[in-house]
Structures are given as structure tokens and as C-alpha cells.
Amino acid sequence: GDVRKEGARSGIVLLPEPSIFDHWVPSDMEMYNRAVKLAAAQYELTTPTDPVFVQWVADAEEGQAAFAWGALYFFIIASIVYLVFSCMAGFVASVVSRPNGPRKG
């Protein structure tokens, strides 16, 4: 984010993002929660049960646009992957369902 920029006076709320890798790699949100718990224990702080994390940005609209473009890129890539797998599955299905040799009458 733009946390080091002087003009960063806006924040975008970070939401938990489920991932297929959550079972093997901790998510960013999980790491942030660990950091909150460690800081609270170290400095004897009280913290809310569900803290809200923000990403500081100099321009909130630009930050929203970045998230929107990221979502669009994800949609396009997911659609291309789906198209490729669908074509491969269709090809395999057509080869498997083909009769063996010419039919004799």
C-alpha cells in the first residue's frame, strides 16, 4: 500500500480471501491476526475479537480500480482455463465414444 506516502489518508478494508492453498499456506489475513495476537501479548494490549485491517492508499478510487482490474483478470484467466479443460474433455469424450472400426451390416 501507500503507507509511507504523506498523502495517504484513505484506507481500503481488506477482506478475507479464500484460497485453494489455505490448507498448506497461511493466508494474509491469518498472518495479520497472528501479528495482532503477538503484539497484544507483547505489549499487554486489548484487541477486538474481529479486527478490521485496512490498506492505506493515497487515492481510494485508484485502490478500488486496482481491485476491480484484479477481479477482471482473475475472471478472464479462469474462463480461459475452463475453456481449455472443456475442449480437452470434449475431445476425450469424442475419442472414447467412437466405435472401433467400420460397422459391418
Side-chain angles (χ1 to χ4, degrees):
D2 296 333
V3 70
R4 298 201 190 283
K5 289 186 179 177
E6 251 183 73
R9 301 206 191 300
S10 300
I12 296 175
V13 175
L14 298 177
L15 300 173
E17 299 175 15
S19 170
I20 59 172
F21 303 111
D22 283 347
H23 296 289
W24 301 285
V25 178
S27 67
D28 288 344
M29 201 62 62
E30 191 175 329
M31 296 300 288
Y32 296 153
N33 279 313
R34 285 184 191 173
V36 166
K37 288 177 185 173
L38 286 172
Q42 177 72 31
Y43 300 106
E44 299 177 4
L45 302 171
T46 57
T47 60
T49 55
D50 293 320
V52 176
F53 299 103
V54 296
Q55 177 180 354
W56 293 107
V57 291
D59 182 6
E61 290 178 7
E62 185 178 308
Q64 283 181 321
F67 279 110
W69 280 111
L72 180 63
Y73 290 144
F74 176 80
F75 175 76
I76 290 170
I77 297 299
S79 297
I80 291 170
V81 169
Y82 177 76
L83 175 67
V84 169
F85 280 114
S86 295
C87 289
M88 288 178 7
F91 176 75
V92 169
S94 70
V95 169
V96 169
S97 65
R98 211 182 278 168
N100 295 334
R103 292 186 181 188
K104 295 181 181 178

